[in-house]
Amino acid sequence: MSTEGFAPILIDGKWRPATAVGSFVGENPVTREPSPTQYPISDWADINAALTAAVSAFEVMQELPRKQIAAFLRSYAEALESKTDHIATAAAEETGYAFSPRLREIEMPRTVGQLKKAAAAAEDVSWRLPTIDAELKIYSVLEAIGPTVVFGPNNFPLAFNGISGGDFAAALAAGNPVIAKAHPSHPATCRLLAECAQKAASQANMPEGTVQMLYKFRPEDGLRLVQDPRLGAVAFTGSRSAGMKLKAAADAVGKPIYLEMSSINPIVILPGALEERSGEIANEIASSVLLGTGQFCTKPGLILALKGELTESLIKNVREKFADAPCGTLLDRRTQDHLVGSINVLVRAGATVVYGNEAPKVHRGNAWANTLLRATGEQFLRSPQELMTEAFGNSTLVLVADDLQQLYRLLSHCEGNLTGCVYSARDGRDDVAYDRVAKLLRPRVGRLLNDKVPTGVAVSPGMNHGGPFPATGHPHFTSVGLPAAMRRFTRLACYDNVRPNRLPSILRELVS
Amino acid sequence: MSTEGFAPILIDGKWRPATAVGSFVGENPVTREPSPTQYPISDWADINAALTAAVSAFEVMQELPRKQIAAFLRSYAEALESKTDHIATAAAEETGYAFSPRLREIEMPRTVGQLKKAAAAAEDVSWRLPTIDAELKIYSVLEAIGPTVVFGPNNFPLAFNGISGGDFAAALAAGNPVIAKAHPSHPATCRLLAECAQKAASQANMPEGTVQMLYKFRPEDGLRLVQDPRLGAVAFTGSRSAGMKLKAAADAVGKPIYLEMSSINPIVILPGALEERSGEIANEIASSVLLGTGQFCTKPGLILALKGELTESLIKNVREKFADAPCGTLLDRRTQDHLVGSINVLVRAGATVVYGNEAPKVHRGNAWANTLLRATGEQFLRSPQELMTEAFGNSTLVLVADDLQQLYRLLSHCEGNLTGCVYSARDGRDDVAYDRVAKLLRPRVGRLLNDKVPTGVAVSPGMNHGGPFPATGHPHFTSVGLPAAMRRFTRLACYDNVRPNRLPSILRELVS
């Protein structure tokens, strides 16, 4: 089909017309006005071209000095910094997120910081765990895994974007070319980012196919892509349904795929904590649930507390905050549909609406009223799967357990989550219960928190933004936190009796 | 059914009768005489009981001092040492391997050494990569993943046995209880090992379900087992067909599964090396192929060389050695059937029999003549999949390429392998070709060797006994080499703002 007027795609170092099988437009989620630009839905030919270029790029990248990759990442970070206002404006239009502080003061600095940290890690070798057995002449090291496809999510247009976010930075810094799949709900933002990435790559003299970007392709081509033998690995952040399809395709051919799919992030509030600081906790929880209109992977979607007056007053407090808070914008129509659908699943499974669950009165874009639900422990035990449905957006479910024994039973049904949090009294009166709760939560969550909401995933070397299935595909890996996140994009390479001058430089330096 | 007279299974610290759905007997592979003992095929009830006991054991193990697990491993190692002759005798009867040196002087010391190294690693904490972000109070560490099932293979009755081998040692030292699936071709050996394991566990005061063993269960129960939510991880060494079924089951529910499935371990012999030392190389290859009757995961199954007189003389040399060498015993009837079937696949795809491929004249047990095959590069390019069929046993295929260009093309078709080896001239005349070959092999193999056969997998910290699919399930992990192999049986656990006194001891020691 004719692609005249469609936005170009970034393949092999050049912006060029797509071989399109269709097109789509962006949409302002606040006004539901379409963008003027048509973006192409790529045919397999585009994906194939990107793979070919990535293979060539990878061949060159394996020989590059570490500091060259670092220089690229730094120069990209600086380019983004200098274009912050421009990019944050575009992202605000496409996502409904506030230009300031969310995009300009929070997400862009985080994105820039990640790229700079990745640059530093690219120059380091220790995270590759080089291991020398001098006596047996057996050496090993984690080496770049090969061309990596990054599927970015809708909810962090900069910090998790396939062309600029955490997976991008980690894969690149580990030495791999990246083929980014832009998220179709913020294509203009992706384009601006990719322009900076391409210029920085060119300035740093990186091979042409180091960074590439497609806007969209058919689902069947996505499955074909993740099975392609030319590909080293796949990173995906998004919905469980899409993630599970990609996982099945990749698993069938043994392709490493790192997924971040869904999480309801349980928070357990023990009775002593409520006695001590119920109002404070209600504040923290309400803010955490509504932050970014609840569109965080770590949004607390399940609050567990014990039956009683204090919990009733906590619910009342949160309800008031939900009522007082403005109703935020949801990222796109699908997010709204999905939120409404998920709340319906929860309600059908027995949850009661405490507040919300209706179309907001004043909002004409994608939005749904801040929604607070409650259910009993008994209801949960009857329908645990349904009541653990992730309602991505400004909604949460309070689960009121009859007593501690029932609370423990509820937790024993919890699936894998990114985070789990326990609020307990400062004076120690909850400590016995804490021990039981923490023991139940620990194997079910990647990050265990005390007295703190889980939203806000610090880019710390100690971070685990990961967790057991179905939150992710493998509990060994994290997608945030450098250098740990980079290890995902490596394979273990052993050299046995290989002549010293033929060893890769990292090992050669250590052996000689 | 009545299990009277069946060998008991080891569940929850006790030897007890199985809930059997059938039984089987061992068989001496040299004489094909059946063992007097009936071994049970367990019903799901046995597996279920083992899982329940493993969960209880895991709860206790998480609180144990590190040195207690180390003490268990050491005491187990010593028990095996003291029973070496007894166990090696049983293993020789069941496998046809030589009592000495193979079992008594090689495999048992390796097994004992692995357990001792695992004990040392269990006491260490550095391999768990504890990471402290003091400023943000975010800490992470690799923690034990939970009850682990180990499916042992037929070819290393001690060193890879589910109840005593590398996966067992690694999973246990990482802090996990192990449910071992004995290999039905050496049940008596497994029983002796498990007796030592159980006694050592009891002496070291380990919880009852620390080590458990079942002999066999129905395939459908195996699939159910690897999907069980109580299970932390699965380790499997065996055939590709069984491995792929278990992998599909585990992947569907996001259960970490570490597989070692198949490998043809290509060896490339560059022309300069042949000019320099053809006889030496023929010796090394023939010995490596026939070692243990070729029943090594790392047996070289594909030898690549260039057309010409030197290669003809290499083939002639290897042929002579195959003719002179005695025809070894194969582990069981299935191995023999599989070997014959695989050679047939190779022959149907165009390979020519240079030597062997017939029933041996003198051997009355499981055996097939040492078999040397050859094929041309052109034949390979027509049927690469078929000509990469693993013929597990005393057989190898020499692939004669027209020239270096064709050799590179052949290598570009290679699937993932455990090892890849290049013989090149010592004087540098092969170096240009070496670079191309190494570049092609590197991403396709876990361990790259120079001038050395791949059989003999040293238990070195630098070892990678792993590699890209379909050799294993994930190129990031190794099943041999401590501590690296232990990381497979961990999950990344992050603690965010968790009060210092509630941190696990490893982190508490580092934080305070």
Side-chain angles (χ1 to χ4, degrees):
Chain A
M1 70 184 292
S2 161
T3 56
E4 215 187 286
F6 288 7
I9 55 175
L10 178 58
I11 301 278
D12 202 14
K14 283 153 212 81
W15 288 95
R16 68 177 216 197
T19 315
V21 294
S23 72
F24 70 101
V25 293
E27 188 179 271
N28 182 316
V30 179
T31 62
R32 290 195 161 177
E33 273 164 22
S35 74
T37 310
Q38 295 272 335
Y39 297 91
I41 300 170
S42 279
D43 195 3
W44 176 255
D46 288 346
I47 301 176
N48 189 50
L51 282 165
T52 304
V55 167
S56 304
F58 184 52
E59 233 172 82
V60 178
M61 285 173 78
Q62 287 172 285
E63 311 288 327
L64 291 183
R66 294 192 288 276
K67 62 181 181 197
Q68 190 170 338
I69 292 179
F72 156 60
L73 289 165
R74 283 199 190 96
S75 129
Y76 183 20
E78 282 155 19
L80 293 184
E81 247 170 340
S82 75
K83 298 247 183 197
T84 295
D85 284 7
H86 188 44
I87 294 169
T89 303
E93 251 174 52
E94 290 191 318
T95 61
Y97 288 150
F99 170 76
S100 169
R102 161 75 193 241
L103 292 163
R104 192 173 64 158
E105 280 85 22
I106 300 170
E107 198 172 331
M108 183 59 100
R110 178 195 178 96
T111 309
V112 166
Q114 277 175 175
L115 290 166
K116 289 182 178 172
K117 281 180 188 173
E123 284 177 315
D124 186 20
V125 301
S126 59
W127 66 270
R128 293 186 186 271
L129 308 175
T131 307
I132 307 293
D133 184 336
E135 201 190 319
L136 298 180
K137 294 194 214 149
I138 298 178
Y139 321 114
S140 61
V141 66
L142 296 172
E143 292 186 350
I145 199 165
T148 299
V149 172
V150 181
F151 293 81
N154 60 359
N155 64 336
F156 278 84
L158 314 176
F160 282 77
N161 196 301
I163 193 72
S164 65
D167 284 339
F168 170 90
L172 221 303
N176 307 288
V178 169
I179 300 171
K181 155 82 170 52
H183 197 283
S185 77
H186 47 254
T189 307
C190 292
R191 184 177 181 176
L192 292 175
L193 295 166
E195 281 170 2
C196 291
Q198 192 276 320
K199 273 184 208 151
S202 164
Q203 270 165 25
N205 238 334
M206 295 296 290
E208 304 283 355
T210 305
V211 294
Q212 303 183 93
M213 189 181 71
L214 304 170
Y215 289 102
K216 197 174 174 173
F217 34 73
R218 288 170 295 205
E220 60 268 35
D221 283 337
L223 301 181
R224 185 174 169 192
L225 167 60
V226 303
Q227 294 196 322
D228 197 283
R230 289 168 287 182
L231 206 61
V234 182
F236 168 89
T237 309
S239 73
R240 195 192 294 193
S241 60
M244 287 300 288
K245 281 175 202 149
L246 292 172
K247 174 172 161 42
D251 284 343
V253 298
K255 184 79 63 194
I257 181 165
Y258 303 99
L259 306 125
E260 201 226 283
M261 292 190 286
S262 61
S263 189
I264 56 169
N265 307 297
I267 294 186
V268 177
I269 308 173
L270 292 175
L274 274 190
E275 284 160 20
E276 234 176 45
R277 52 193 208 279
S278 171
E280 202 180 297
I281 294 171
N283 264 339
E284 286 181 33
I285 287 177
S287 308
S288 180
V289 172
L290 300 183
L291 188 71
T293 320
Q295 297 164 118
F296 275 70
C297 326
T298 52
K299 183 215 56 185
L302 193 70
I303 317 293
L304 298 102
L306 297 193
K307 193 154 75 178
E309 268 174 46
L310 283 163
T311 294
E312 291 309 317
S313 116
L314 176 88
I315 292 173
K316 194 163 153 276
N317 253 324
V318 174
R319 182 195 184 285
E320 274 167 27
K321 280 167 216 321
F322 273 37
D324 291 349
C327 172
T329 302
L330 294 165
L331 286 155
D332 43 41
R333 292 176 195 230
R334 268 191 81 188
T335 302
Q336 182 183 320
D337 293 346
H338 194 266
L339 173 62
V340 174
S342 302
I343 292 173
N344 279 342
V345 172
L346 296 169
V347 169
R348 275 201 304 272
T352 317
V353 177
V354 179
Y355 183 79
N357 197 26
E358 60 186 5
K361 280 156 201 105
V362 292
H363 205 297
R364 66 200 170 97
N366 306 316
W368 196 244
N370 300 329
T371 297
L372 181 63
L373 305 167
R374 65 182 293 166
T376 65
E378 214 186 327
Q379 285 167 327
F380 184 86
L381 291 172
R382 265 202 303 271
S383 317
Q385 282 305 320
E386 291 75 8
L387 287 176
M388 287 192 289
T389 301
E390 183 185 26
F392 189 78
N394 47 333
S395 162
T396 197
L397 167 65
V398 180
L399 212 52
V400 182
D402 287 344
D403 51 31
L404 279 171
Q405 293 309 316
Q406 193 187 49
L407 178 75
Y408 305 147
R409 278 191 65 199
L410 304 182
L411 290 173
S412 75
H413 282 82
C414 267
E415 293 184 304
N417 275 282
L418 295 171
T419 71
C421 172
V422 193
Y423 278 84
S424 59
R426 294 199 181 97
D427 67 6
R429 85 190 92 152
D430 286 326
D431 281 7
V432 174
Y434 176 88
D435 286 348
R436 279 291 293 274
V437 167
K439 210 171 201 171
L440 284 160
L441 275 181
R442 181 66 281 181
R444 292 176 169 83
V445 305
R447 178 164 53 114
L448 179 69
L449 300 100
N450 278 186
D451 311 308
K452 185 184 169 189
V453 289
T455 39
V457 181
V459 185
S460 156
M463 177 53 67
N464 180 14
H465 193 55
F469 182 86
T472 81
H474 200 300
H476 191 84
F477 299 101
T478 175
S479 67
V480 173
L482 297 167
M486 294 157 71
R487 288 200 193 98
R488 294 175 299 159
F489 305 108
T490 62
R491 54 180 172 70
L492 182 58
C494 172
Y495 295 83
D496 185 345
N497 201 43
V498 169
R499 302 182 194 172
N501 63 315
R502 293 167 170 180
L503 291 171
S505 59
I506 291 178
L507 293 174
R508 207 162 54 230
E509 287 160 20
L510 294 171
V511 167
S512 56
Chain B
M1 67 185 293
S2 162
T3 58
E4 217 187 287
F6 288 7
I9 55 175
L10 177 59
I11 301 279
D12 202 14
K14 282 154 211 80
W15 287 97
R16 66 177 218 196
T19 315
V21 294
S23 71
F24 70 100
V25 292
E27 188 179 272
N28 182 316
V30 181
T31 62
R32 288 197 163 174
E33 273 164 21
S35 74
T37 311
Q38 293 273 334
Y39 296 92
I41 301 171
S42 279
D43 196 4
W44 176 255
D46 287 345
I47 302 176
N48 189 53
L51 282 165
T52 304
V55 168
S56 304
F58 184 51
E59 234 173 81
V60 179
M61 285 173 78
Q62 287 172 285
E63 312 287 328
L64 291 183
R66 294 192 287 276
K67 60 179 181 198
Q68 190 171 338
I69 293 179
F72 156 61
L73 290 166
R74 282 199 191 97
S75 127
Y76 183 20
E78 283 155 17
L80 293 184
E81 247 170 340
S82 74
K83 299 246 183 197
T84 295
D85 284 6
H86 188 43
I87 295 170
T89 303
E93 251 174 53
E94 290 190 318
T95 61
Y97 288 149
F99 171 76
S100 171
R102 161 73 192 242
L103 291 163
R104 193 174 63 157
E105 280 85 22
I106 300 171
E107 197 173 330
M108 183 58 100
R110 179 194 177 96
T111 309
V112 167
Q114 277 175 173
L115 289 167
K116 288 182 179 172
K117 281 180 187 173
E123 285 177 314
D124 186 19
V125 301
S126 59
W127 66 270
R128 294 186 186 270
L129 308 175
T131 307
I132 307 292
D133 185 336
E135 201 190 317
L136 297 180
K137 293 193 213 149
I138 299 177
Y139 320 114
S140 60
V141 68
L142 295 173
E143 293 187 349
I145 201 166
T148 299
V149 171
V150 181
F151 293 82
N154 60 356
N155 64 335
F156 278 84
L158 313 177
F160 282 78
N161 196 301
I163 194 72
S164 65
D167 284 339
F168 171 89
L172 221 302
N176 307 290
V178 169
I179 300 171
K181 156 82 170 53
H183 196 283
S185 77
H186 46 255
T189 308
C190 292
R191 184 178 181 175
L192 292 175
L193 295 166
E195 281 170 0
C196 292
Q198 192 274 322
K199 273 183 209 152
S202 163
Q203 270 163 24
N205 235 338
M206 295 295 290
E208 304 283 353
T210 304
V211 293
Q212 303 183 92
M213 190 181 71
L214 304 171
Y215 289 102
K216 196 173 175 175
F217 35 72
R218 288 170 294 205
E220 61 268 33
D221 284 336
L223 301 181
R224 185 174 169 192
L225 167 60
V226 303
Q227 294 196 322
D228 197 283
R230 289 167 288 182
L231 206 62
V234 182
F236 168 88
T237 308
S239 74
R240 195 192 294 192
S241 60
M244 287 300 288
K245 281 175 202 150
L246 291 173
K247 173 171 161 43
D251 284 344
V253 298
K255 184 80 62 195
I257 182 165
Y258 302 99
L259 306 126
E260 201 225 281
M261 292 189 285
S262 60
S263 187
I264 55 170
N265 307 298
I267 294 186
V268 177
I269 307 173
L270 292 175
L274 275 189
E275 284 158 22
E276 235 177 44
R277 53 191 207 282
S278 172
E280 199 180 300
I281 294 171
N283 265 339
E284 287 181 32
I285 287 178
S287 309
S288 179
V289 171
L290 300 183
L291 188 70
T293 320
Q295 299 165 117
F296 275 70
C297 327
T298 52
K299 187 225 38 200
L302 193 71
I303 317 293
L304 298 102
L306 296 193
K307 193 155 77 179
E309 269 173 44
L310 284 163
T311 295
E312 291 309 317
S313 114
L314 177 87
I315 292 172
K316 194 166 153 275
N317 254 324
V318 174
R319 183 195 182 286
E320 274 165 26
K321 283 168 213 318
F322 274 37
D324 291 347
C327 173
T329 301
L330 294 165
L331 287 156
D332 44 42
R333 291 177 194 232
R334 269 191 81 188
T335 301
Q336 182 183 319
D337 293 346
H338 194 266
L339 173 63
V340 175
S342 301
I343 292 174
N344 279 342
V345 172
L346 296 168
V347 169
R348 274 201 305 273
T352 318
V353 178
V354 179
Y355 183 79
N357 198 25
E358 60 185 7
K361 280 155 203 105
V362 292
H363 205 296
R364 63 198 172 100
N366 306 315
W368 196 243
N370 300 329
T371 298
L372 180 64
L373 305 168
R374 65 182 293 166
T376 65
E378 214 185 325
Q379 284 167 327
F380 184 85
L381 291 172
R382 265 202 303 271
S383 317
Q385 281 305 319
E386 290 74 10
L387 287 176
M388 287 191 289
T389 301
E390 184 186 24
F392 189 78
N394 47 335
S395 162
T396 196
L397 167 65
V398 180
L399 211 52
V400 182
D402 287 343
D403 51 31
L404 280 172
Q405 293 310 315
Q406 193 188 52
L407 178 75
Y408 305 147
R409 278 190 66 200
L410 304 182
L411 290 173
S412 75
H413 282 82
C414 268
E415 293 184 305
N417 275 283
L418 294 172
T419 71
C421 172
V422 193
Y423 279 84
S424 59
R426 294 201 181 96
D427 67 5
R429 85 190 92 152
D430 286 325
D431 281 7
V432 173
Y434 175 87
D435 286 348
R436 280 292 292 275
V437 167
K439 211 171 200 169
L440 284 160
L441 275 182
R442 182 65 282 184
R444 292 176 170 83
V445 304
R447 177 162 55 114
L448 179 70
L449 301 100
N450 278 187
D451 310 308
K452 186 184 169 188
V453 290
T455 37
V457 181
V459 185
S460 156
M463 178 51 68
N464 180 15
H465 193 58
F469 181 86
T472 81
H474 199 300
H476 191 83
F477 299 101
T478 176
S479 67
V480 175
L482 298 166
M486 295 158 71
R487 289 202 191 96
R488 295 175 298 160
F489 304 108
T490 62
R491 56 180 171 70
L492 181 58
C494 172
Y495 296 83
D496 185 344
N497 201 43
V498 168
R499 302 181 195 174
N501 64 315
R502 293 169 170 179
L503 290 171
S505 60
I506 292 179
L507 293 173
R508 207 162 54 228
E509 287 160 20
L510 294 170
V511 166
S512 57

